[in-house]
Amino acid sequence: MRQIVEGPVLTVRAIGGLHVVTLAWDFVEGQEAKREGFLGFAVERSEFAKDGGIVERYWLRGVKRFRIKDEGLPPGAPVPTSEHPIQTFQWADYTAKPGVTYQYRVVPAYGKPKLLDLDPAASTTVEITTECEEGAEADDHRIRHDVFFNRGVAGSQAYVRKFGKTKPDEDDPTSEQMKWLSRGLFEALTGFISRAAGSDAADYKLRAMLYEFRYPAIGESFKAAAAAGADVDIRYEAQSYKDENEAMIAAVGIEHLCTPQKSRAGIRHNKFIVLVHHDVPVAVWTGSTNISAGGIFGHSNVGHAVWDRGLAQRYLDYWEALAAPSVTASRLRTRNQAVEATPALHELPPADRVLTLFSPRDEEDPDTTTPTLAWFADLLASAQRIACMTFAFNFDPVFQTAVQGETDALSYLIFDKTLDEVRETEVRRNRNTIIAAGAKLEKGDLETFLGEVLTGFNRNRYIHDKFLLVDPLGNDPIVVTGTANFSEPSQEKNDENMLVIRGDTRVADIYFGEFMRIFDHHYVRYVIARLKAGGQHDPDAGYLKEKTAEWLPSHFEPGPKEKRRRFFMQ
């Protein structure tokens, strides 16, 4: 959901996802004088009950503060924005709950750090209702999407404040630490499977294609559905994760439900489950989440359920093609392109349906770019204002070319690991591309921040999502999401599935809020890591600026901050 309100001095925009409300604001034209002596923005949040009554009201808090104010506070202590205002034109509330109505009052702050003057007359209030966890078919018969992102940031101030440096017990998904890390992803996945475990279980079938299938609690969920009477058939990867997968399968006692996938070139990288009711496929669970502790609770991932019979049927047909004893890569390429051909370059995805791009689909040709990968890159380059993209493992040159082209749009790219210095310099040359890479803070990196700890669940430690957003804040957003790592093998050799969703602002709002949450979280950590590597690290960089000229001009001078201020409002 999106709302924008213009006040006498400020215009404020709110984009509500599930657990994130993204806020952006700007001065109304003609209010340039209100920038004088300006120190930032205070944000007050009010939460409303279903009957309209106010549940709570308080000033949102951050960790950045004025150095000369509230001295002696321990690192990591949150401080109210009414005393330590926000010195940027964007903010986000990461404590929002699904399906709840909030009001956010943005108030300009002036004066001095120890003589702060809030200006209520210049404030603007916006009201927003966050999305419900379960989507609904709209009046225009839009497909229902249920989207679940895990926390994906164990290395965070919030985790250390809440749990200290104690690492979570991966064998106990009901512990407070694991529930915090899951943020509903584990519960949604088990809930999807358990739909086939009720008193009418005999009416259901579950068909799964899984790469990593080694988290016992999910194995137990499938076992419960089968025991209740559902027809359960699971195909698991038996190359890279053969030993781990089969150890879990044996430990849970579900060998009779599981069959190894046939080994071929590439990897069997799918992670999808089709729910069938009365022999009719009704929904599919997909996304980037592997069935492992690291996938569900560790690095950043999404689970995405689509409730649409036609789309679920396509996934069931794909499952059957993959499960066929005679399956070959060549047959799959022909079949997958026949089901849904890759659009031509400069051709947008269809607006009347969700595009399903199954792999393998493209022929191997060392002399040309894989057509589907080229189309994804072309989508990235087509953004008019904002593009967002995740890179968990690799960064194919076709995407580097796309973001370095002639464009006015901002491209936000996030990587699990830092690029090499030469490539990073090339990518950032046009100043329209902002990159971040996975990182965490060590003790002393910033004076006002705590040192952080990871779960230890993952080798690929931070980013595992695979999605692309094109103009997500516009009226015709494009979301590409699924299992493929935006690499040539993902289109030529691997078993993969990708959804391309156009025009669904609810889906785009959820993905955008979560992308910016992960991006902004890692950006400051990535910058600090780069400065430390270059011997330029300043532990005092986390303090707020005490003078207007030290922070405000960059938001109005040509550059990415100025564009971000404008584009987040358009």
Side-chain angles (χ1 to χ4, degrees):
M1 183 178 181
R2 308 167 179 188
Q3 294 288 353
I4 189 165
V5 176
E6 181 175 322
V9 176
L10 295 177
T11 299
V12 179
R13 187 181 195 188
I15 302 102
L18 293 171
H19 301 276
V20 177
V21 175
T22 303
L23 298 168
W25 47 73
D26 198 2
F27 287 103
V28 172
E29 187 175 353
Q31 292 293 329
E32 289 77 11
K34 297 298 288 186
R35 301 181 205 166
E36 297 297 324
F38 183 52
L39 283 186
F41 302 92
V43 181
E44 182 186 62
R45 186 184 93 167
S46 300
E47 178 182 330
F48 291 83
K50 296 296 183 183
D51 62 5
I54 296 177
V55 176
E56 60 185 21
R57 175 180 290 143
Y58 64 96
W59 295 101
L60 289 183
R61 293 172 174 262
V63 177
K64 293 186 74 171
R65 61 180 186 259
F66 292 115
R67 184 172 186 173
I68 63 171
K69 191 173 184 179
D70 290 347
E71 292 179 283
L73 279 179
V79 291
T81 56
S82 57
E83 292 290 337
H84 304 268
I86 300 161
Q87 293 184 338
T88 181
F89 283 74
Q90 300 80 34
W91 190 251
D93 180 5
Y94 302 143
T95 65
K97 294 168 288 189
V100 174
T101 299
Y102 298 96
Q103 281 185 354
Y104 295 91
R105 183 167 69 106
V106 182
V107 187
Y110 298 87
K112 301 175 182 179
K114 290 188 175 181
L115 189 61
L116 207 61
D117 181 20
L118 300 186
D119 187 357
S123 68
T124 296
T125 300
V126 64
E127 183 171 298
I128 191 81
T129 300
T130 52
E131 299 292 343
C132 294
E133 289 187 308
E134 293 188 354
E137 294 184 8
D139 294 338
D140 59 1
H141 305 293
R142 189 169 60 232
I143 291 174
R144 170 183 162 185
H145 296 267
D146 301 343
V147 184
F148 303 89
F149 279 82
N150 65 358
R151 192 79 59 173
V153 287
S156 70
Q157 297 295 289
Y159 183 92
V160 179
R161 283 198 302 267
K162 196 172 182 66
F163 304 110
K165 290 201 170 184
T166 303
K167 293 193 176 183
D169 179 2
E170 67 177 272
D171 297 323
D172 184 6
T174 64
S175 71
E176 287 304 307
Q177 288 161 303
M178 294 290 272
K179 286 193 292 186
W180 188 89
L181 292 166
S182 162
R183 199 159 160 261
L185 178 58
F186 172 77
E187 294 78 4
L189 175 53
T190 54
F192 186 88
I193 297 168
S194 67
R195 288 175 179 268
S199 59
D200 59 346
D203 297 333
Y204 282 93
K205 297 177 183 178
L206 290 167
R207 296 292 182 263
M209 280 283 170
L210 303 172
Y211 178 53
E212 293 184 48
F213 183 45
R214 55 197 183 98
Y215 195 60
I218 303 301
E220 293 286 359
S221 293
F222 280 112
K223 183 179 181 179
D231 179 350
V232 179
D233 194 339
I234 302 166
R235 304 303 169 103
Y236 65 91
E237 193 269 354
Q239 291 168 259
S240 303
Y241 287 95
K242 173 180 169 63
D243 293 343
E244 295 96 325
N245 290 346
E246 292 182 349
M248 187 280 287
I249 290 167
V252 176
I254 53 175
E255 295 95 332
H256 60 297
L257 305 178
C258 303
T259 304
Q261 297 181 64
K262 183 178 178 180
S263 296
R264 293 176 273 112
I267 56 176
R268 317 284 69 78
H269 200 235
N270 280 309
K271 320 126 186 358
F272 73 83
I273 306 166
V274 182
L275 180 68
V276 181
H277 188 224
H278 290 305
D279 292 323
V280 176
V282 294
V284 61
W285 172 281
T286 185
S288 62
T289 307
N290 280 311
I291 311 302
S292 66
I296 302 168
F297 305 95
H299 50 205
S300 178
N301 270 312
V302 60
H304 191 133
V306 187
W307 296 83
D308 179 74
R309 292 185 176 188
L311 190 141
Q313 182 67 60
R314 273 179 267 163
Y315 270 86
L316 181 60
D317 294 343
Y318 179 45
W319 185 95
E320 291 174 346
L322 293 169
S326 60
V327 62
T328 64
S330 178
R331 290 179 180 178
L332 286 170
R333 289 190 194 99
T334 301
R335 178 213 171 270
N336 292 337
Q337 284 282 7
V339 169
E340 200 81 88
T342 301
L345 289 181
H346 312 310
E347 180 183 343
L348 292 176
D352 61 344
R353 70 181 191 280
V354 175
L355 196 66
T356 47
L357 299 179
F358 299 134
S359 297
R361 60 187 300 106
D362 294 328
E363 296 290 342
E364 296 181 60
D365 186 344
D367 297 324
T368 61
T369 301
T370 300
T372 306
L373 212 61
W375 184 69
F376 288 147
D378 192 58
L379 274 184
L380 174 63
S382 73
Q384 298 300 300
R385 291 191 175 91
I386 298 171
C388 309
M389 197 165 186
T390 64
F391 294 94
F393 292 96
N394 62 289
F395 185 41
D396 191 279
V398 70
F399 295 107
Q400 180 173 331
T401 300
V403 297
Q404 290 182 262
E406 292 295 326
T407 178
D408 193 46
L410 287 176
S411 295
Y412 290 91
L413 312 181
I414 186 166
F415 303 86
D416 187 67
K417 296 181 178 65
T418 303
L419 295 175
D420 67 78
E421 187 174 346
V422 172
R423 203 165 189 202
E424 180 176 326
T425 300
E426 292 176 352
V427 171
R428 300 173 66 231
R429 193 183 306 280
N430 69 2
R431 301 186 70 204
N432 287 332
T433 303
I434 305 101
I435 68 174
K440 67 182 181 70
L441 293 175
E442 304 294 342
K443 184 178 180 180
D445 279 350
L446 288 174
E447 286 294 331
T448 57
F449 286 69
L450 293 163
E452 298 168 344
V453 62
L454 297 179
T455 61
F457 295 163
N458 305 97
R459 291 191 297 269
N460 181 222
R461 296 191 295 175
Y462 300 101
I463 306 299
H464 192 256
D465 303 290
K466 304 95 172 49
F467 64 86
L468 162 65
L469 312 179
V470 179
D471 288 320
L473 298 182
N475 294 324
D476 190 21
I478 297 172
V479 177
V480 180
T481 185
T483 69
N485 281 306
F486 298 111
S487 65
E488 290 196 347
S490 72
Q491 305 305 318
E492 298 170 349
K493 299 178 181 180
N494 298 352
D495 296 351
E496 310 274 10
N497 69 93
M498 296 295 274
L499 300 173
V500 185
I501 305 158
R502 180 180 172 190
D504 192 317
T505 55
R506 175 183 181 274
V507 172
D509 290 350
I510 294 170
Y511 270 84
F512 176 75
E514 297 293 344
F515 178 90
M516 294 310 303
R517 174 180 69 89
I518 296 295
F519 184 93
D520 286 343
H521 171 90
H522 285 294
Y523 181 76
V524 64
R525 291 157 176 80
Y526 149 78
V527 170
I528 290 169
R530 287 178 63 238
L531 292 173
K532 285 172 67 176
Q536 298 175 307
H537 172 231
D538 178 8
D540 291 341
Y543 288 108
L544 293 174
K545 306 302 183 184
E546 297 179 13
K547 297 179 180 179
T548 305
E550 294 175 333
W551 73 276
L552 187 61
S554 62
H555 293 275
F556 291 88
E557 298 166 352
K561 286 185 178 180
E562 186 270 342
K563 284 187 176 180
R564 178 165 167 157
R565 177 182 58 80
R566 287 190 293 113
F567 289 169
F568 274 46
M569 296 298 293
Q570 297 174 345

